[in-house]
Amino acid sequence: RKRIHDLGSVLGQAVAPGLNELETVAQHVSTAVAGTLVFNPSPYQHSEMMRMSDGSERLATNVPGLGYAFFPDTGIEGDLVVWEPFDSNYSALGEQLDVKIDAASGAIASLVQLADGREWVQTGSDGLNLVDGVRLLDFVAERLVGAATRLVITRWAPSVGTFTSTITVYDELPWLSLTNETERVADEQVSFRFHLAASDPHISWEIPAGRAESTLPVHALEHLRWICISGGDASLMFRGYDAPFASVSEEMTLSSVAPRGISRYRFAPLPRYATHDMPWVFGWNSEPMAVARVVPNGSDVLPRYGSILEFEKVGVTILGIQPASDGYGAIVYLQETLGVSRTVSVAPGVLRFS
């Protein structure tokens, strides 16, 4: 109880000079070893590949929604785990997705959902992640044992120049991560095309406090965290982190307008019997987690694992938390995503609110 009370004081303090809020909290983790504090801004439990403060990349698993977890440095338990090159034959295989790369263009030629064998790339198309005239220059495949396969593809196109596409296929996580890194040119954009396969397709996407939907074609679509492409009994979730503007043609070609520099994407086939709130779970769980360095200390204030709030997580999204105007409480903003009226309980986790 004292730790919970003290943490409330910690988060209520002014931020220490030169530190951000998360770094200030990290100073109060009780630990005898150095490590990394990982904070999850999503309201849902989340796993993600993270670069820790010791420079290693690790899969941070099951970090609580609106909460944190402490990860000791890898050197504490053994040798540093690093990505190792291997011969992949232009493919990457996880437990949920099978990805194949076109050896001429470097595009994704096949994206198969292993649970039911569904192919999400249009038959006879140029694949996913296309720009006009693109061709492959170099290809490197790497493995992080027990976590993921990463394909680093160097490409060239007349309108873009030389750029790099990095694809990460996880061993167990049900999504594919894609990053395109082009030369930064002020005020210029590039359009990446994704030729998707779906029968009788229908498109929906997140807008502030709700969703919009349409049949094809869809022009000038702007999504917050997710686009859902549904066809038959299957759905594919899509997010453009840095590229919220898209259009989808009648032929099921999704064109994403991205800024020059880094543009990041995520794809995730939904389970056949996914619940109504699954798009929001996907969208919020694609929010980047944050890290801060933890050094050994004896403050004995903050537990090493916990969530700021406890709440009914099925169909409920926490949009934000802010201090109350009287300074003694907090205002919590919730969104109901199942489409039903109900009473929802919200209770303190590691924080105590008066």
Side-chain angles (χ1 to χ4, degrees):
R1 293 180 180 274
K2 181 177 184 299
R3 289 181 179 181
I4 293 174
H5 172 76
D6 288 349
L7 178 59
S9 299
V10 168
L11 293 182
Q13 294 171 355
V15 177
L19 299 178
N20 63 34
E21 290 87 345
L22 186 58
E23 290 169 334
T24 299
V25 174
Q27 290 184 316
H28 294 268
V29 174
S30 176
T31 175
V33 297
T36 302
L37 186 76
V38 176
F39 177 71
N40 174 18
S42 161
Y44 306 104
Q45 180 176 279
H46 185 37
S47 300
E48 187 67 84
M49 189 71 70
M50 300 293 299
R51 182 171 294 280
M52 300 291 171
S53 60
D54 65 354
S56 65
E57 285 189 76
R58 300 167 65 183
L59 189 61
T61 57
N62 302 322
V63 181
L66 291 175
Y68 65 91
F70 170 70
F71 295 86
D73 286 351
T74 53
I76 299 298
E77 301 175 349
D79 294 335
L80 194 67
V81 178
V82 297
W83 292 89
E84 297 286 352
F86 80 109
D87 185 5
S88 74
N89 197 27
Y90 294 98
S91 64
L93 179 65
E95 292 187 8
Q96 304 204 39
L97 297 174
D98 184 7
V99 176
K100 291 181 173 54
I101 304 300
D102 183 86
S105 68
I108 299 174
S110 175
L111 174 59
V112 174
Q113 185 175 350
L114 294 175
D116 57 8
R118 180 179 180 86
E119 172 65 75
W120 280 102
V121 176
Q122 279 185 35
T123 302
S125 73
D126 294 327
L128 311 181
N129 200 32
L130 266 296
V131 292
D132 290 335
V134 66
R135 57 185 174 87
L136 187 145
L137 299 179
D138 191 31
F139 178 91
V140 176
E142 302 172 315
R143 278 283 298 157
L144 189 63
V145 176
T149 299
R150 185 166 64 189
L151 309 177
V152 182
I153 307 164
T154 304
R155 304 196 285 169
W156 179 88
S159 61
V160 182
T162 301
F163 67 104
T164 301
S165 298
T166 303
I167 298 169
T168 304
V169 179
Y170 298 92
D171 289 3
E172 297 182 2
L173 301 182
W175 59 77
L176 174 151
S177 298
L178 164 65
T179 299
N180 290 316
E181 188 168 0
T182 64
E183 181 184 355
R184 295 181 183 274
V185 179
D187 300 325
E188 287 195 18
Q189 298 174 323
V190 57
S191 180
F192 294 100
R193 299 194 309 276
F194 303 87
H195 299 284
L196 299 166
S199 59
D200 192 22
H202 180 271
I203 308 296
S204 58
W205 62 97
E206 184 185 10
I207 59 175
R211 70 160 73 200
E213 52 188 321
S214 176
T215 55
L216 300 185
V218 181
H219 303 290
L221 178 161
E222 181 180 1
H223 69 290
L224 287 182
R225 297 178 189 88
W226 56 264
I227 297 173
C228 183
I229 299 103
S230 300
D233 59 355
S235 297
L236 180 72
M237 301 301 305
F238 169 90
R239 178 171 187 181
Y241 292 84
D242 318 281
F245 299 102
S247 63
V248 186
S249 71
E250 288 185 288
E251 295 76 27
M252 272 303 297
T253 298
L254 188 153
S255 298
S256 173
V257 179
R260 292 281 188 151
I262 295 177
S263 55
R264 300 164 295 164
Y265 298 95
R266 175 171 292 181
F267 294 87
L270 285 188
R272 178 171 296 182
Y273 301 106
T275 57
H276 191 271
D277 66 328
M278 281 300 293
W280 276 274
V281 175
F282 164 85
W284 274 106
N285 276 347
S286 61
E287 290 292 291
M289 294 196 286
V291 301
R293 182 67 177 166
V294 174
V295 298
N297 66 80
S299 61
D300 195 31
V301 172
L302 183 64
R304 298 184 188 178
Y305 182 96
S307 182
I308 292 173
L309 291 176
E310 296 295 336
F311 61 98
E312 184 179 347
K313 294 179 173 60
V314 177
V316 176
T317 295
I318 301 291
L319 297 179
I321 308 172
Q322 72 179 55
S325 58
D326 59 11
Y328 291 101
I331 299 170
V332 181
Y333 296 90
L334 303 94
Q335 179 176 344
E336 208 291 317
T337 59
L338 290 179
V340 296
S341 297
R342 55 192 165 129
T343 299
V344 175
S345 63
V346 179
V350 295
L351 285 179
R352 186 177 77 176
F353 297 103
S354 300

